[in-house]
């Protein structure tokens, strides 16, 4: 029997190799249109970054090695251009000679892979614009970096390859701007988990433009490129790499009349046969069954492709095998952290109409008392009956081990209650007596048994403060790294003595830093008769998720290498200054901050403390703590997963609050109108006040919310009334009209033209300038609910708030305007 395999790499090469092992006498031919039959495509970004220095290590097998080792004939630069199903032949073009010939087959295995998506934007074909799919693509990018020594690069797309490229280009000393159309990087994980990745990439000097796309790429006179975003922001760069995604190579299949599946993939059955039983399809180009939904899907990953190739070979030789489906297990390195996922995420579960719950924990990778312990954020998604649907983990160490356990549990059909019982390897250097997998099983089991009720981070902004009481059970010193507005602080240690301070006519929403102390408080208050819920994942999850994700607008005109990661600011010179070392490695948040807080109390003003930690959230916590406590952050950096920060006690100068300086200069505005002229007035006043050093807060309510809407349509779930409201209202600053003399659009266009002629900034520019100047933009939660406006539809950086937050800002200001 003769089998022809179209395409090599993971799927095709695996099919051919397994087939030889199963049938020594089989006639096997691999036809590959590229120059390489089998290469490690997952390693391509790392050779560009010179982490993998030897290019030859990426070449897994050559045609000569396949011939000598397995007796398989592999022909490179031979492209199959047509499948002739009736006579069981393929038409092949030899690109070395330009000739065509027919190759017969008994069985045909299609493994053509997928091609990078090239967006239809001007400039995508410029010579400094690249894609990365194979060895020649890698060689082009690396040669450009080696020869041109670019200082800036733009990566378009925040998926696996995009994030890996950002890291490896930065490893070569290049400032990287990463542009992603979605509001987050890493689509397989949920937004609250991606927020941790954004924070780390921000700390590692990657400029993020999230929720934005590329409009055009143009050459400049200096030989650089100017990338214009959909938001009209611009980036100057020397190279662009498009990593938007891939599309299946399906033309051969389409021309041959083979059925197609989701997103243009080649449809297959349980044995990976197409509608022609003599033709199989595997890898990135094939649709396969999803393990959990049992629906057809595609998964462009090397692991499933290799397994599919092996199974197809077994079926060809007559074995009774079936492909049981994919679940989407993935992992990626992002600088010092590891990001992993398996199964379905929240968005996929919602789209599938599956009811689910989620649990979030922050746990160490091994025993905290053993050196080097590092925390991980661990999210589990599960059904109301305990079925495990998916998991996501972000951490420094031990992420791969835990995600593989959950992936195995999903494949085995286990439930969350089984996770509680798993007996996993434990010794202090490797784990804990209660592994994070056990702990998340405990949490999920508690939720399903009714031992705890949780609330998620995205529900906090919409809470009615008249019926809900926010209770922070952390220690007072922890509040220096942030707190939820309006929360009362009663530390867990003294909670039993202060029950009379907690209202019984309201629901009590408890939170601590990571969730565990909140659970302890929940159990106490529940048994005392209170109506209570615990914040899932604690303040750590909440603060990252509600914080600013995209940093592009803040640092648009600043060299990335000069900002945020403070490097060796000279300490204030004093006599008799001492330096102290503080080891906070292995401590979970808030452990490092509390240890630093106690050490600062022991030393004198001017003394310098060098603290090391392994909690990657410490990079932002230490800055927030220093800013709020009047201590001077001299430097913060990471190396090999260890964060090192240097702090000088009490050396931040503050203006004396005496006389006129003691009077508040804050300004507050209520923006009720959505008229263009009134919106312009609001932001001109706001920018003027901010430029004078005033703290400005704008509270947008009712029609004023339309000013904050994104121009582009955002796909969010709405009911009919909400959709009608959204259709009738203007979407974003560019759609607003004048309150008077609109004249069917002529008046509005005239004023915009006059503003341009007079060099008056447009409203979108004024909004961005206000955000860059620190103006706080608040969107009224009640108005959003009434008008059907969702958080995802608002500009990045807008806070969702209630009246209480606005009143608090108003109380602190010396003027409140209503527009």
């Amino acid at each position: 029997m003769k089998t022809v395999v179209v395409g090599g790499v993971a799927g095709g090469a695996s099919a051919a190799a397994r087939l030889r092992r199963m049938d020594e006498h089989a006639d096997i031919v691999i036809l590959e249109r590229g120059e390489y039959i089998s290469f490690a495509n997952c390693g391509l970004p790392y050779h560009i970054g010179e982490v993998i220095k030897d290019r030859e290590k990426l070449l897994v097998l050559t045609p000569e090695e396949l011939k000598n080792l397995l007796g398989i004939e592999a022909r490179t630069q031979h492209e199959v251009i047509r499948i002739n199903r009736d006579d069981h032949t393929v038409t092949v073009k030899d690109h070395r000679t330009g000739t065509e010939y027919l190759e017969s087959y008994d069985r045909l295995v299609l493994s053509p892979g997928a091609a990078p998506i090239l967006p239809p934007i001007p400039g995508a074909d410029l010579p400094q614009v690249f894609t990365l799919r194979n060895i020649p693509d890698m060689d082009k990018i690396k040669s450009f970096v080696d020869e041109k020594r670019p200082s800036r690069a733009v990566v378009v797309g925040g998926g696996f390859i995009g994030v890996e490229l950002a890291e490896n280009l930065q490893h070569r000393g290049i400032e990287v701007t990463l542009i992603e159309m979605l509001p987050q990087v890493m689509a397989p994980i949920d937004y609250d988990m991606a927020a941790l990745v954004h924070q780390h990439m921000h700390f590692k000097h990657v400029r993020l433009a999230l929720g934005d796309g590329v409009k055009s790429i143009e050459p400049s006179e200096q030989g650089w490129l100017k990338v214009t975003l959909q938001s009209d922001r611009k980036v100057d760069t020397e190279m662009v790499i498009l990593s938007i995604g891939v599309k299946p190579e399906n033309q051969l299949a389409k021309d041959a009349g083979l059925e197609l599946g989701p997103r243009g993939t080649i449809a297959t059955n349980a044995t990976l046969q197409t509608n022609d039983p003599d033709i199989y399809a595997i890898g990135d180009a094939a649709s396969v069954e999803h393990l959990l939904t049992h629906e057809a899907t595609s998964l462009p990953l090397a692991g499933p492709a290799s397994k599919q190739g092996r199974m197809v070979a077994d079926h060809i030789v007559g074995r009774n095998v079936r492909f049981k489906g994919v679940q989407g297990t993935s992992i990626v390195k992002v600088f010092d952290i590891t990001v992993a996922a398996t199964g379905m995420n929240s968005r996929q579960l919602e789209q599938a109409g599956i009811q689910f719950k989620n649990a979030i924990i922050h746990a160490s990778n091994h025993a905290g008392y053993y050196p080097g312990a590092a925390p991980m954020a661990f999210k589990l998604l599960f059904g109301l009956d305990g079925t495990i649907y998916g998991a996501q983990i972000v951490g420094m160490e031990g992420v791969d081990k835990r995600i593989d356990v959950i992936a195995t549990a999903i494949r085995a059909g286990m439930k969350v209650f089984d996770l509680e019982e798993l007996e996993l390897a434990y010794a202090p250097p490797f784990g804990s007596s209660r592994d994070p997998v056990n702990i998340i099983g405990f949490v999920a089991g508690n939720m399903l048994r009714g031992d705890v009720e949780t609330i998620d981070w995205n529900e906090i902004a919409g809470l009615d403060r008249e019926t809900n009481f926010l209770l922070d059970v952390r220690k007072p010193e922890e509040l220096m790294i942030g707190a939820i507005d309006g929360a009362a602080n009663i530390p867990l240690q003294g909670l039993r003595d202060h029950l009379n301070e907690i209202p019984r006519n309201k629901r009590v929403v408890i939170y601590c830093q990571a969730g565990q102390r909140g659970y302890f408080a929940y159990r106490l208050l529940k048994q005392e008769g209170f109506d209570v819920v615990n914040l899932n994942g604690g303040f750590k999850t909440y603060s990252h998720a509600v914080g600013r994700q995209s940093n592009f607008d803040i640092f648009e005109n600043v060299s990335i290498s000069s900002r945020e990661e403070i490097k060796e600011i000279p300490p204030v010179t004093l006599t008799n200054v001492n330096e102290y070392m503080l080891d906070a490695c292995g401590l979970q948040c808030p452990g490092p901050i509390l240890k630093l807080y106690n050490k600062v109390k022991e030393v004198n003003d001017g003394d310098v403390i060098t603290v090391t930690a392994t909690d990657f959230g410490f990079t932002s916590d230490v800055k927030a703590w220093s800013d709020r406590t009047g201590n001077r952050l001299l430097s913060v950096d990471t190396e090999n997963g260890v964060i090192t920060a240097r702090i000088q006690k009490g050396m931040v100068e503050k203006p004396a609050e005496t006389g006129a300086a003691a009077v508040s200069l804050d300004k507050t505005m209520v923006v009720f109108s959505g008229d263009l002229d009134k919106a312009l007035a609001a932001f001109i006043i706001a920018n003027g006040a901010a430029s004078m050093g005033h703290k400005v807060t704008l509270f947008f309510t009712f029609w004023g919310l339309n000013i904050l809407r994104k121009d582009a349509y955002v796909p969010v779930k709405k009911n009919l009334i909400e959709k009608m409201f959204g259709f009738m209202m203007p979407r974003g600053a560019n759609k607003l009209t004048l309150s008077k003399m609109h004249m069917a659009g002529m008046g509005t266009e005239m004023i915009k033209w006059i503003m341009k002629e007079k060099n008056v900034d447009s409203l979108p520019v004024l909004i961005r300038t206000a955000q860059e100047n620190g103006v706080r933009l608040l969107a009224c939660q009640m108005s959003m609910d009434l008008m059907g406006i969702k958080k995802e539809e608002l500009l990045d950086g807008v806070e969702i708030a209630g009246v209480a937050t606005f009143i608090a800002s108003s109380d602190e200001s010396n003027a409140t305007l209503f527009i």
Side-chain angles (χ1 to χ4, degrees):
M1 182 181 291
K2 181 177 181 180
T3 299
V4 172
V5 180
V6 180
V9 198
S14 295
R18 174 68 174 177
L19 186 57
R20 169 60 71 229
R21 294 194 296 272
M22 295 297 99
D23 185 354
E24 177 59 29
H25 303 291
D27 187 359
I28 307 169
V29 177
I30 301 178
L31 301 171
E32 166 59 52
R33 70 180 176 186
E35 300 176 43
Y36 304 93
I37 200 70
S38 182
F39 60 90
N41 52 1
C42 296
L44 303 183
Y46 296 99
H47 182 60
I48 294 170
E50 295 190 336
V51 176
I52 300 173
K53 296 186 181 297
D54 188 352
R55 179 180 179 277
E56 298 305 308
K57 288 185 176 179
L58 298 175
L59 306 178
V60 181
L61 282 173
T62 65
E64 294 74 22
E65 289 171 331
L66 271 175
K67 185 70 173 178
N68 296 333
L69 183 65
L70 296 171
I72 295 172
E73 184 178 354
R75 306 173 195 161
T76 57
Q77 300 185 65
H78 281 62
E79 181 181 5
V80 175
I81 58 175
R82 187 165 50 255
I83 301 172
N84 311 301
R85 290 170 56 189
D86 292 339
D87 57 4
H88 276 58
T89 62
V90 291
T91 304
V92 186
K93 182 172 184 177
D94 184 345
H95 286 287
R96 297 171 302 180
T97 63
T99 59
E100 296 182 7
Y101 65 92
L102 294 177
E103 187 76 31
S104 64
Y105 68 84
D106 296 304
R107 299 289 185 271
L108 183 65
V109 180
L110 299 180
S111 181
I117 294 174
L118 294 176
I121 57 174
D125 57 348
L126 290 169
Q128 296 129 291
V129 180
F130 305 90
T131 58
L132 180 62
R133 183 201 178 199
N134 51 34
I135 295 284
D137 291 341
M138 177 195 72
D139 290 339
K140 289 178 185 177
I141 296 171
K142 190 169 188 302
S143 294
F144 185 89
V145 173
D146 291 345
E147 295 168 10
K148 302 295 183 182
R149 303 284 181 183
S151 60
R152 293 189 179 186
V154 165
V155 175
V156 183
F160 293 99
I161 300 298
V163 169
E164 289 172 341
L165 279 168
E167 176 182 349
N168 281 279
L169 289 173
Q170 198 229 57
H171 189 259
R172 297 292 304 272
I174 302 171
E175 292 188 356
V176 179
T177 298
L178 190 147
I179 301 168
E180 170 54 56
M181 182 73 77
L182 295 175
Q184 67 169 82
V185 300
M186 305 302 299
I189 65 176
D190 289 338
Y191 182 87
D192 46 13
M193 300 296 281
L196 299 168
V197 184
H198 301 159
Q199 173 208 320
H200 189 65
M201 295 183 74
H202 178 106
F203 178 71
K204 285 295 184 179
H205 298 177
V206 176
R207 180 184 284 127
L208 294 175
L210 303 175
D212 212 341
V214 175
K215 182 186 291 184
S216 65
I217 306 171
E218 302 171 282
S220 67
E221 295 178 359
Q222 295 78 19
W224 283 41
L225 299 175
K226 186 174 290 294
V227 180
T228 302
L229 308 188
Q230 295 290 347
S231 62
D232 286 331
R233 298 183 291 188
K234 300 183 188 301
V235 187
D236 291 322
T237 184
E238 291 170 79
M239 64 184 299
V240 174
I241 304 180
L242 301 175
S243 183
I244 297 171
V246 295
K247 58 183 179 181
E249 294 272 18
N250 61 10
Q251 196 60 50
L252 262 181
K254 281 177 71 173
D255 293 345
L258 300 180
E259 291 180 8
L260 300 183
R263 293 180 290 280
T265 51
I266 306 168
T268 66
N269 60 18
T271 54
L272 301 180
Q273 293 166 291
T274 66
N275 56 302
D276 184 329
D278 291 333
I279 302 177
Y280 299 79
I282 60 176
D284 296 358
S287 66
V288 293
E289 183 178 298
H290 195 285
L291 181 70
L292 296 170
T293 65
H294 305 293
E295 295 179 351
T297 187
S298 60
L299 187 67
L301 293 174
S306 177
K307 296 177 184 67
Q308 291 162 25
R310 176 186 175 90
M311 196 228 76
V312 161
D314 284 353
H315 192 263
I316 289 174
V317 299
R319 292 195 170 184
N320 183 19
V321 291
R322 298 172 68 85
F323 188 70
K324 296 179 181 178
V326 295
Q327 65 195 73
T329 303
S330 58
I331 192 166
V332 63
K333 176 182 178 292
V334 186
F335 294 97
D336 295 330
I337 63 174
T338 305
V339 183
T342 188
M344 303 174 73
N345 59 29
S346 296
R347 176 180 50 81
Q348 292 168 328
L349 288 166
E350 289 167 357
Q351 290 176 346
I354 298 173
Q355 286 189 302
F356 69 98
K357 290 179 175 288
N358 78 91
I360 301 175
I361 65 169
H362 298 274
S364 292
N365 67 311
H366 62 62
Y369 57 82
Y370 188 87
M376 62 178 69
F378 194 155
K379 183 172 186 177
L380 187 74
L381 301 111
F382 52 95
L384 305 186
D385 63 347
T387 299
I388 305 170
Y389 290 129
Q392 302 152 31
I393 311 177
V394 178
M396 286 188 173
E397 297 288 342
V399 170
D400 52 345
K401 170 181 174 179
R402 275 73 188 201
I403 206 69
D404 284 344
V405 172
I406 301 298
T408 304
I410 292 175
R411 180 69 56 166
M414 298 170 67
K415 298 196 173 185
V416 297
F417 310 109
D418 297 307
L419 301 183
E420 298 177 293
E421 303 296 331
L422 285 180
E423 185 177 328
L424 302 173
Y426 161 58
F430 306 106
S432 302
S433 57
R434 289 184 172 187
D435 191 87
V437 171
N438 300 131
I439 294 172
I440 206 158
F442 297 149
V443 174
N446 285 341
M447 293 171 65
L448 293 176
R449 295 185 188 102
D451 294 339
V452 66
E453 183 182 348
T454 61
I455 185 172
D456 290 329
W457 67 270
N458 54 349
E459 299 177 76
I460 296 296
L463 288 178
D464 181 355
R465 299 301 177 93
E466 295 297 319
T467 58
N468 290 274
F469 178 76
L470 272 171
L471 177 60
D472 185 334
V473 297
R474 298 175 298 166
K475 295 179 179 180
E477 51 265 37
E478 294 179 63
L479 305 186
M480 291 299 101
I481 58 176
I484 299 176
D485 287 345
N489 178 228
I490 305 176
L492 175 63
Q493 291 82 348
L495 186 58
R496 290 178 177 84
D497 298 327
H498 295 271
L499 296 180
N500 61 329
E501 299 174 21
I502 303 172
R504 290 186 176 271
N505 62 340
K506 295 183 179 182
R507 183 175 67 162
V508 182
V509 180
I510 301 175
Y511 73 90
C512 65
Q513 190 65 22
Q516 186 184 54
R517 285 172 292 170
Y519 169 63
F520 294 161
Y522 174 97
R523 294 303 303 160
L524 189 164
L525 294 183
K526 189 70 173 178
Q527 293 173 76
E528 290 291 340
F530 289 89
D531 179 15
V532 60
V533 292
N534 185 32
L535 179 58
N536 194 7
F539 182 76
K540 188 169 187 175
T541 297
Y542 170 86
S543 61
H544 288 128
V546 301
R548 183 183 290 271
Q549 308 300 314
S550 180
N551 59 21
F552 180 91
D553 51 346
I554 304 176
F555 305 113
E556 188 167 3
N557 300 309
V558 181
S559 173
I560 298 173
S561 60
S562 70
R563 54 100 176 153
E564 185 57 26
E565 185 177 3
I566 305 164
K567 287 182 177 285
E568 294 308 320
I569 295 174
V572 175
T573 304
L574 298 173
T575 57
N576 300 320
V577 169
N578 297 308
E579 295 217 11
Y580 299 89
M581 294 296 299
L582 184 65
D583 183 5
C585 293
L587 297 180
Q588 289 189 56
C589 180
I593 287 294
L594 292 179
K595 197 165 185 177
L596 175 60
Y597 167 80
N598 289 319
K599 187 65 179 178
V600 166
K601 290 193 295 185
E602 298 173 4
V603 305
N604 298 317
D605 282 354
D607 288 347
V608 175
I609 301 170
T610 299
V611 56
T612 54
T614 48
D615 181 349
F616 58 91
F618 185 66
T619 56
S620 58
D621 288 348
V622 71
K623 186 177 188 304
W625 181 87
S626 299
D627 290 343
R628 287 181 171 91
T629 56
N631 297 297
R632 194 175 194 217
L633 183 59
L634 302 177
S635 67
V636 57
D637 203 349
T638 61
E639 186 175 355
N640 298 323
V642 176
I643 301 150
T644 302
R646 299 182 71 240
I647 301 99
Q648 188 172 29
K649 180 177 178 177
M651 288 293 108
V652 176
E653 295 184 9
K654 295 183 178 181
E657 295 185 355
T658 58
V663 178
S664 171
L665 297 177
D666 294 359
K667 299 291 183 289
T668 307
M669 279 185 262
V670 179
V671 185
F672 177 85
S673 172
D675 295 327
L676 174 61
D677 43 334
K678 296 173 185 177
L680 287 168
F683 278 96
I684 289 171
I685 295 170
N687 282 321
S691 68
M692 297 170 65
H694 299 192
K695 181 180 177 183
V696 183
T697 299
L698 273 61
F699 185 71
F700 294 81
T701 182
F702 283 94
W703 314 119
L705 288 170
N706 292 312
I707 301 170
L708 302 181
R709 295 176 71 191
K710 295 175 180 175
D711 292 335
Y713 168 72
V714 178
V716 291
K717 188 179 294 185
K718 293 187 177 185
N719 59 38
L720 178 60
I721 299 299
E722 291 172 336
K723 289 179 181 178
M724 291 175 64
F725 257 111
F727 176 75
M728 292 186 290
M729 294 186 298
R731 184 186 294 137
N734 286 315
K735 300 293 185 181
L736 302 184
T737 61
L738 292 176
S739 60
K740 296 181 180 179
M741 297 178 60
H742 174 58
M743 297 186 296
M746 290 190 295
T748 299
E749 291 305 313
M750 286 171 62
I751 196 66
K752 289 182 178 179
W753 181 82
I754 293 171
M755 289 171 63
K756 187 175 182 180
E757 288 295 305
K758 300 292 185 181
N759 292 318
V760 177
D761 286 337
S762 66
L763 181 55
V765 173
L766 287 172
I767 294 173
R768 288 201 299 273
T769 302
Q771 290 183 300
E772 291 166 4
N773 289 337
V775 173
R776 193 179 182 197
L777 307 182
L778 305 181
C780 174
Q781 179 68 62
M782 182 201 69
S783 299
M784 289 176 63
D785 292 340
L786 290 176
M787 302 173 73
I789 295 176
K790 307 298 182 183
K791 180 178 185 295
E792 294 83 357
E793 297 180 273
L794 301 182
L795 299 172
D796 287 347
V798 173
E799 301 176 49
I800 312 300
V803 174
T805 304
F806 160 69
I807 294 298
S809 296
S810 180
D811 288 344
E812 296 173 359
S813 69
N814 69 350
T816 298
L817 308 177
F818 188 91
I819 296 179

